[in-house]
Amino acid sequence: MITALLIGLPLLFALLLLFTSGEGSKKIAFVASGLELVLALVAYWFLHKNPADAHRLVMNVPWITSMGINFNVALDGISMVLVLLTAFLVPLIILSSFKNNYENPALFYSLILFMQMALVGVFVARDGFLFYVFWELALIPIYFICLMWGGENRGAITLKFFVYTLFGSLFMLAALIYLYLNTSIGETGIHTFDLNALYDAGQHLSGTEQTYVFWGLFLAFAVKMPIFPFHTWQPDTYVVAPTQGTMLLSGIMLKMGTYGLIRWLLPMTPIALKEWGHVVVVLCVISIIYASCMAIVQKDFKRLIAYSSIAHVGLIAAGIMAFSVEKGNVEGITGAIVQMFSHGVNVIGLFFIADIIFSRTGTRDLEKLGGIRNLSPQFTSFFMIIMLGSVALPLTNGFVGEFLIINGVYQYSAWIAAFAGLTIILGAVYMLRSFQVIMLGERRTATASFTALSTNEILVLVGICAAVLVLGIYPKPILGIIQNDVQELVNRMDAVAHT
């Protein structure tokens, strides 16, 4: 029941906002997102402290019975981390927008809450059709946010983003329908989209059939993450989208792809994974190196962050896909889930830093920035903490996940781990250089009148920095809740591979 409420609450407020107007809508949206965070923490408490009450986190009722489709949602440790990430980031994203005066604010905040509903639905769906519905619903609000409140050339860039993701989704739909048609009809006389039934159907397909399903699902997830060479929509979209749209895209929406790899791809096609998994791992490593090199040569700070996001997600995907029957990959998958949470926190922090700089200087050009440290030591401290989390310094949140991922990838291949580890070195190069150029050095004309942070900006940055440090020093709240579910996933894949 709680899982269904996590979907229903933001949807209810999204609809209510459509009947409001004026600046009060942002406060209503903020309250709604705060209630969602409280509800997510209650669900976490049930899952962590009272496993016997875990049935409260499952809801499975018939929806389209003639096609075997159920409204089947559930929370386990893996889903819980992504739901917590969504519930934690959305209030910060809304609070970060309080200084802005949007045209038609009620619609803007309604779309944010509608997107939160769809994202939570993606992370808790246990029915293939329901998963696809939420997957597509998440695309609609971000499309309109980018199109209506984006920057220059937003029409063409947003259309490219929409076509890319829709194209990938169609491959996923085809794969899910093929799996559905191969599920057992049993006594019901109809097929089913139930997740476990789809697992069984996929595992009993021939190697060739699994290959088709594998690439169909992977294309959808690869576009959403994105992974090289399916990334070309990302830098332009991140730059042109309003800051809050960029935060939603980078902090939460791209996790749909990495989550899909874990929940829907890995257990579904074991033969194809064994045959083609190494190709995907190589694509992930290419993404890491290519995106890191592109980030190094960028002059626009926001575009630099966009490329750095591709590199970090490439490492997360490599950690997930570096699975072998002989060695398993508990560390890589565990690290990937932890890093999904950490990357979401860090990247919205960096995009908010870029937004604060642009709002005060009118530029994101690194060559026109400098000397902000002397004008705002407080802002410098926040920037440094988030930057250190992004480069995975020990005792920050980025370190825990990346250490586990590199460990998992090393067990898969020492050479792959060596190349994947370049993300840490190259990431330190472009992030430290950016910090040095923007905050240190001589004061420039654009930065001469850099003003102090507002109260809302401080609250957002405090929340982000607290997450960076707390999870870096004490990651147990996340590690403890996913440990059993990741081990169960790996055991299941091992058992299938040995049958």
Side-chain angles (χ1 to χ4, degrees):
M1 189 63 177
I2 295 176
T3 308
L5 287 175
L6 283 165
I7 298 172
L9 193 144
L11 175 61
L12 174 64
F13 277 92
L15 295 174
L16 287 176
L17 280 176
L18 295 177
F19 299 96
T20 65
S21 61
E23 292 301 305
S25 56
K26 64 178 64 173
K27 296 178 181 177
I28 297 174
F30 182 69
V31 170
S33 62
L35 293 174
E36 178 80 350
L37 177 58
V38 171
L39 198 57
L41 291 173
V42 171
Y44 176 89
W45 185 84
F46 274 118
L47 196 64
H48 185 64
K49 297 293 184 183
N50 295 291
D53 286 336
H55 64 277
R56 297 173 185 271
L57 306 177
V58 179
M59 184 173 185
N60 187 5
V61 296
W63 181 19
I64 307 175
T65 53
S66 61
M67 295 183 65
I69 298 171
N70 287 1
F71 185 84
N72 186 357
V73 293
L75 271 170
D76 63 1
I78 299 171
S79 296
M80 191 73 250
V81 172
L82 277 303
V83 170
L84 273 178
L85 174 69
T86 307
F88 175 66
L89 292 188
V90 170
L92 295 178
I93 291 171
I94 293 174
L95 186 59
S96 74
S97 71
F98 270 32
K99 64 183 178 184
N100 301 331
N101 295 313
Y102 292 109
E103 184 179 350
N104 199 349
L107 178 59
F108 180 79
Y109 292 105
S110 174
L111 289 172
I112 289 179
L113 293 181
F114 188 84
M115 187 169 178
Q116 183 179 27
M117 176 276 297
L119 289 166
V120 171
V122 167
F123 298 138
V124 302
R126 295 293 185 275
D127 180 281
F129 184 81
L130 189 64
F131 174 74
Y132 179 77
V133 168
F134 281 125
W135 182 278
E136 292 300 285
L137 288 179
L139 176 62
I140 295 172
I142 195 63
Y143 169 77
F144 284 107
I145 288 173
C146 295
L147 185 64
M148 297 177 68
W149 292 278
E152 192 176 354
N153 296 325
R154 60 183 181 272
I157 292 172
T158 305
L159 180 62
K160 180 181 179 181
F161 159 64
F162 186 84
V163 171
Y164 249 86
T165 53
L166 187 62
F167 183 74
S169 301
L170 291 178
F171 280 95
M172 179 173 71
L173 178 62
L176 291 174
I177 290 176
Y178 191 81
L179 288 166
Y180 165 78
L181 294 175
N182 282 277
T183 55
S184 173
I185 59 174
E187 297 179 355
T188 62
I190 55 176
H191 296 287
T192 175
F193 276 100
D194 178 80
L195 176 63
N196 289 317
L198 295 180
Y199 281 170
D200 292 337
Q203 291 160 6
H204 286 88
L205 294 177
S206 67
T208 303
E209 290 174 310
Q210 286 196 21
T211 296
Y212 295 145
V213 172
F214 177 89
W215 287 109
L217 293 174
F218 177 75
L219 279 174
F221 302 148
V223 169
K224 196 71 79 178
M225 286 186 271
I227 287 290
F228 177 91
F230 310 103
H231 68 286
T232 58
W233 64 269
Q234 193 251 38
D236 289 339
T237 305
Y238 277 23
V239 170
V240 79
T243 297
Q244 284 65 41
T246 308
M247 289 174 162
L248 288 166
L249 279 166
S250 61
I252 311 172
M253 192 172 185
L254 67 79
K255 309 302 183 301
M256 291 165 56
T258 48
Y259 174 80
L261 293 179
I262 297 173
R263 179 73 69 194
W264 292 90
L265 184 64
L266 286 187
M268 201 77 77
T269 55
I271 298 175
L273 176 64
K274 187 175 182 180
E275 185 172 355
W276 297 103
H278 61 282
V279 176
V280 175
V281 173
V282 170
L283 288 178
C284 295
V285 172
I286 293 174
S287 289
I288 292 169
I289 299 174
Y290 164 78
S292 297
C293 292
M294 289 298 293
I296 289 174
V297 300
Q298 296 304 310
K299 294 181 180 178
D300 184 306
F301 186 48
K302 195 174 183 183
R303 187 174 286 272
L304 182 153
I305 301 169
Y307 276 108
S308 78
S309 181
I310 297 176
H312 284 290
V313 172
L315 181 63
I316 293 172
I320 296 168
M321 298 304 295
F323 179 86
S324 68
V325 175
E326 295 79 13
K327 303 172 183 175
N329 188 20
V330 173
E331 291 83 1
I333 297 174
T334 301
I337 297 168
V338 174
Q339 189 60 11
M340 278 190 241
F341 192 97
S342 300
H343 174 265
V345 171
N346 295 339
V347 77
I348 77 155
L350 288 173
F351 277 121
F352 190 48
I353 291 287
D355 182 61
I356 291 172
I357 292 172
F358 184 77
S359 67
R360 284 162 169 75
T361 66
T363 182
R364 296 187 298 264
D365 190 336
L366 295 176
E367 294 182 350
K368 296 179 181 178
L369 299 170
I372 295 178
R373 180 192 62 173
N374 296 326
L375 298 164
S376 182
Q378 187 182 40
F379 179 61
T380 306
S381 300
F382 287 131
F383 187 3
M384 176 173 285
I385 292 172
I386 297 170
M387 182 268 295
L388 293 178
S390 180
V391 301
L393 190 79
L395 299 183
T396 65
N397 59 347
F399 175 77
V400 180
E402 292 199 359
F403 175 79
L404 288 169
I405 290 173
I406 297 296
N407 189 8
V409 176
Y410 180 81
Q411 296 176 43
Y412 177 80
S413 165
W415 282 106
I416 293 293
F419 284 110
L422 288 175
T423 187
I424 298 175
I425 300 171
L426 296 176
V429 171
Y430 59 72
M431 287 310 304
L432 289 172
R433 182 177 68 88
S434 301
F435 181 83
Q436 181 180 351
V437 169
I438 295 172
M439 309 309 292
L440 309 181
E442 296 182 2
R443 188 184 308 171
R444 302 298 182 90
T445 303
T447 59
S449 58
F450 196 92
T451 55
L453 298 176
S454 68
T455 302
N456 288 337
E457 289 170 337
I458 291 173
L459 289 174
V460 173
L461 291 171
V462 165
I464 294 169
C465 290
V468 170
L469 296 175
V470 170
L471 290 177
I473 297 170
Y474 189 68
K476 188 177 179 181
I478 291 182
L479 288 174
I481 202 168
I482 64 176
Q483 189 173 11
N484 292 336
D485 292 306
V486 172
Q487 187 64 59
E488 183 179 339
L489 177 73
V490 171
N491 292 342
R492 181 187 185 111
M493 293 162 63
D494 284 341
V496 171
H498 287 95
T499 55

